[in-house]
């Protein structure tokens, strides 16, 4: 099978890697170099976790992705997944975290149910008087996302995939580059991240927003190895300790204003007061930590935060893939495995990845999203 893939983010690059491992012929097209910051997958770090509330399928997909990230590490010789754990701050006994624990238990994925005083030992400073408990996923952690994407592309190319640099447009079943080069395959997969909204906006309910991420200087204590990343689902905040001397990462996860896919990333710190207010409540030592850097990155959000992966209604050999909705990175290789099977005529993808109208529902990221179509 000859496959042309447009988009070398986590979804497209993972598919290129997966298909080239299976001996398929692959052409991967991207307008940028792999890992470019303008792509959603181009951030240095992304959280890896299996917790997805009651959702058993995303839980299993993340767990499968973990095994595949480890295979990529073995192939590339790079440490891409830092297993520092992820701590979930539960405000209720019966919320997202309790649901996640039930799903993790059913799939044999390790977790710890910590009372707040035991959770305090996880961090250099911690306040949890507002919490019911803390769910710790010890085998979760942080993916070195940009490096992981580069490794996927490098390994795909090492197995014969062709990487083409150029901006592509669809022409029926073909892909046409700006210099008029025409690429055709048995299958064409469009995985262009936020640009899906521009290229196929009539078929796909996708909102593109610019999300801020702040990096703070937490000092030596926050750079110690093994401090878990964290998510406060109900308060829509997440972060990491200081990994790779990037600074302590902290971000407000509510949906930001729309941002055109081609607009420059603003790198503002509008969310800083909200982030600092949260840090004062949770990690008091970080409240006044100096801001090292503010970054923005695009979310490409579906209304229900479920991914998109479906054939084009008018061109069955053309597939549209994306809608990572702020939680897609970790799933890349497992999504590629499922997609690869579907492209080869095997098991179909879940119906909820289909095109068309979707209803708003609980978010798979934090409680900070959800919009009407
Ligand atoms: C701030 C932030 C934090 C996040 N945190 C997490 C997290 O903790 N955990 C997690 O799992 N996920 C997280 N995500 C989500 C995750 O990063 C995205 O869901 C995922 O990276 C999307 O990957 P993609 O392959 O769909 O798109 P992208 O990574 O954007 O890749 C699309 C590629 O297509 C190329 N392209 C687009 N149009 C064209 C064209 N016409 N011609 C040629 N090339 C084209 C682009 O150049 C780009 O390289 C986060 C996202 C952001 C922004």
């Amino acid at each position: 099978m000859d496959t042309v893939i447009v988009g070398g983010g986590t979804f497209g690059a993972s598919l290129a890697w997966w298909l080239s491992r299976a001996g398929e012929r692959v052409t991967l097209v991207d307008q940028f170099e792999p890992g470019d910051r303008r792509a959603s997958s181009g951030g240095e770090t992304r959280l890896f976790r299996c917790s997805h509330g009651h959702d058993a399928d995303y839980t299993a997909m993340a767990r499968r992705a973990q095994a595949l990230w480890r295979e990529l590490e073995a192939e590339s010789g790079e440490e891409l997944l830092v297993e520092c754990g992820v701590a979930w701050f539960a405000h209720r006994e019966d919320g997202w975290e309790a649901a996640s624990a039930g799903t993790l238990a059913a799939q044999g994925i390790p977790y710890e149910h910590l009372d707040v005083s035991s959770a305090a030992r996880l961090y250099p400073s911690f306040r949890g008087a507002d919490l019911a408990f803390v769910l710790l996923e010890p085998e979760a952690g942080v993916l070195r996302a940009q490096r992981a994407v580069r490794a996927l592309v490098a390994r795909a190319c090492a197995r014969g995939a062709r990487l083409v640099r150029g901006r592509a447009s669809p022409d029926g079943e073909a892909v046409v580059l700006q210099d008029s080069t025409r690429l055709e395959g048995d299958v064409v997969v469009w995985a262009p991240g936020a640009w899906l909204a521009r290229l196929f906006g009539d078929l796909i309910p996708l909102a593109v927003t610019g999300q801020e991420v702040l990096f703070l200087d937490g000092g030596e204590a926050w750079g110690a190895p093994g401090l878990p990343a964290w998510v406060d689902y109900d308060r829509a905040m997440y972060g990491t300790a200081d990994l790779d001397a990037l600074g302590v990462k902290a971000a407000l996860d509510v949906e930001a204003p729309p941002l055109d896919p081609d607009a420059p990333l603003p790198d503002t710190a509008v969310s800083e007061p909200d982030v600092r207010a949260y840090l004062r409540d949770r990690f008091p030592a970080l409240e006044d930590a100096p801001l090292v850097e503010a970054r923005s990155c695009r979310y490409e959000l579906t209304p229900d935060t479920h991914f998109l992966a479906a054939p084009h209604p008018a061109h069955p050999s053309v597939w549209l893939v994306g809608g990572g909705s702020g939680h897609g990175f970790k799933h890349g290789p497992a999504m590629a495995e499922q997609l690869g099977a579907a492209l080869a005529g095997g098991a179909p993808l879940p119906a909820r990845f289909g095109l068309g109208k979707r209803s708003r529902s609980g978010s798979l990221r934090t409680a900070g999203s959800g919009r009407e179509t």
Side-chain angles (χ1 to χ4, degrees), residues 7 10-11 30-32 40-41 46-47 166 168 297 327-330:
T10 193
F11 289 140
D30 204 296
Q31 60 193 345
F32 307 138
S40 297
S41 306
R46 294 286 182 259
L47 265 52
C297 171
H327 69 109
F329 191 88
K330 69 185 83 56

Side-chain angles (χ1 to χ4, degrees), residues 5-14 28-43 45-49 52 69 141-143 145 149 164-170 175-177 190-196 198-199 209-213 231 238 240 249 251-253 261-262 265 295-300 307 321-332 365:
I5 302 167
V6 181
T10 193
F11 289 140
S14 295
L28 176 64
V29 182
D30 204 296
Q31 60 193 345
F32 307 138
E33 290 299 318
D36 189 286
R37 259 202 66 202
R38 289 166 286 186
S40 297
S41 306
T45 58
R46 294 286 182 259
L47 265 52
F48 174 88
R49 39 91 183 187
H52 285 82
W69 286 120
V142 179
L143 278 158
V149 165
V164 175
R165 177 90 185 261
R167 178 131 169 159
S169 307
V175 170
V176 181
L177 304 184
W190 289 86
W195 288 266
L196 257 182
R198 160 151 307 161
L199 294 166
T209 61
Q211 302 294 137
E212 286 182 5
V213 179
V231 185
Y238 69 92
T240 72
K249 178 173 172 177
L252 175 67
D253 194 41
D262 285 314
L265 292 166
R295 296 263 190 98
S296 290
C297 171
R298 286 179 186 83
Y299 274 175
E300 51 292 314
F307 304 150
V321 176
S325 303
H327 69 109
F329 191 88
K330 69 185 83 56
H331 295 285
R365 200 174 68 248

Side-chain angles (χ1 to χ4, degrees), residues 88-93 114-121 123 125-134 232 235 278-284:
W88 294 84
F89 302 145
H91 292 261
R92 295 178 289 137
E93 292 290 353
L114 302 177
D115 59 38
V116 173
S117 56
S118 333
R121 72 173 158 77
Y123 298 103
S125 76
F126 182 74
R127 269 193 201 134
D130 56 329
L131 300 179
F133 69 97
V134 171
D232 193 323
R235 287 187 64 182
Y278 182 84
L279 295 175
R280 183 183 60 238
D281 292 350
R282 187 69 64 227
F283 306 113

Side-chain angles (χ1 to χ4, degrees), residues 145-158:
Q146 191 178 53
R147 280 168 54 182
V149 165
R150 289 177 181 152
L152 286 166
V153 175
R155 292 309 305 156
C157 291

Side-chain angles (χ1 to χ4, degrees), residues 10-11 40-41 46 49 52 58 96 193-194 196 204-209 211 233 238 253-255 297-309 321-331 335 352-353 358-359 361-371:
T10 193
F11 289 140
S40 297
S41 306
R46 294 286 182 259
R49 39 91 183 187
H52 285 82
Y58 281 104
W96 162 275
L196 257 182
I204 289 174
L206 208 61
V208 178
T209 61
Q211 302 294 137
Y233 184 91
Y238 69 92
D253 194 41
V254 295
E255 252 175 59
C297 171
R298 286 179 186 83
Y299 274 175
E300 51 292 314
L301 295 156
T302 61
D304 56 9
T305 69
H306 290 306
F307 304 150
L308 288 158
V321 176
S325 303
H327 69 109
F329 191 88
K330 69 185 83 56
H331 295 285
M335 184 77 171
R352 62 189 181 177
F353 291 173
R358 296 186 182 191
S359 306
S361 64
S363 164
L364 287 154
R365 200 174 68 248
T366 69
S369 81
R371 65 190 171 83

